[in-house]
Amino acid sequence: MAAFEPITFLTSVGSSLVVAYVGVRYFTGAKIRAERADIARRELKKAVAPWLQAARARVAGRGRNLQRELRVADAQDGVDALTVIRLAADLPWWRRVLVRRRCQTIFGREWCVIAEEQADLRPEGLRDADRIMARALFHHLAPGSKIVGSGPPRVGLSGGLIQRVYSSTLDGDAKQLVSELVKLSRAR
């Protein structure tokens, strides 16, 4: 029978404590990240719901009176892209990549680039997305682009799928928009 060895006992207890501490910290962090990602997915689904409803109405033949000029993008697309980019911040990296790609397809690459640059910007006094996007527009407009017309701000940037849908009377793009929005609402 072996004698009690204090050094072996202390080593065993110490290593067990280290493993328990590291395990608890890892699983607690994983649980918090999973909860934040779940909240982000639900918020993203809630944000996409009105766009999806409008796109489905467009496919059904309603909402044809909402027409845009083909070469003039609506700044609301940029605000919507900013909303999506901000909501996706708590998703896992691979879902953020998918959401960013879907966002570029729907709203256009230029709007998503501007939105990504503005996603972390929360200056004092600028509380709503419209003001942040307006600031981004004036600082990041491509050469030759300009603010167009009166009413809600619109700029001469190329838009994405949503721009094509609201600039045309064809149903093919509207059906594709519905498909893209459904995938976006699922953070895919």
Side-chain angles (χ1 to χ4, degrees):
M1 188 164 169
F4 174 73
E5 295 183 34
I7 193 75
T8 304
F9 175 74
L10 290 175
T11 303
S12 175
V13 168
S15 62
S16 297
L17 288 173
V18 167
V19 167
Y21 176 76
V22 169
V24 165
R25 285 190 52 95
Y26 172 77
F27 288 113
T28 302
K31 182 179 178 185
I32 290 170
R33 284 189 302 275
E35 288 172 355
R36 289 175 66 189
D38 185 52
I39 290 169
R41 277 193 302 274
R42 281 190 267 131
E43 290 295 318
L44 186 60
K45 187 172 189 167
K46 192 185 321 178
V48 171
W51 309 330
L52 185 57
Q53 182 180 7
R56 285 182 173 148
R58 188 90 175 176
V59 169
R62 300 183 310 271
R64 293 268 186 236
N65 58 344
L66 301 172
Q67 288 291 318
R68 294 182 183 177
E69 297 172 51
L70 184 57
R71 289 196 170 87
V72 180
D74 194 314
Q76 185 61 44
D77 295 344
V79 173
D80 294 343
L82 178 64
T83 301
V84 169
I85 298 295
R86 281 191 174 164
L87 290 174
D90 287 334
L91 295 173
W93 70 268
W94 59 275
R95 283 202 186 266
R96 281 194 310 267
V97 168
L98 294 174
V99 166
R100 186 178 309 117
R101 189 176 335 149
R102 192 85 49 216
C103 191
Q104 287 178 354
T105 301
I106 294 169
F107 300 111
R109 185 183 173 285
E110 290 91 349
W111 285 126
C112 290
V113 168
I114 291 172
E116 287 171 355
E117 290 173 357
Q118 301 298 314
D120 294 329
L121 183 64
R122 300 178 201 276
E124 295 298 320
L126 295 179
R127 295 208 166 98
D128 60 338
D130 292 320
R131 289 185 182 164
I132 293 172
M133 189 53 63
R135 179 176 171 194
L137 288 174
F138 288 110
H139 290 293
H140 298 286
L141 284 176
S145 297
K146 62 182 187 237
I147 301 297
V148 178
S150 61
R154 302 173 302 153
V155 301
L157 292 177
S158 63
L161 182 59
I162 198 164
Q163 180 65 25
R164 286 197 317 266
V165 168
Y166 286 105
S167 299
S168 131
T169 57
L170 302 176
D171 287 339
D173 285 339
K175 289 176 184 176
Q176 183 183 358
L177 178 62
V178 168
S179 173
E180 294 291 323
L181 286 170
V182 165
K183 292 173 188 172
L184 180 63
S185 73
R186 295 178 183 157
R188 295 186 177 164

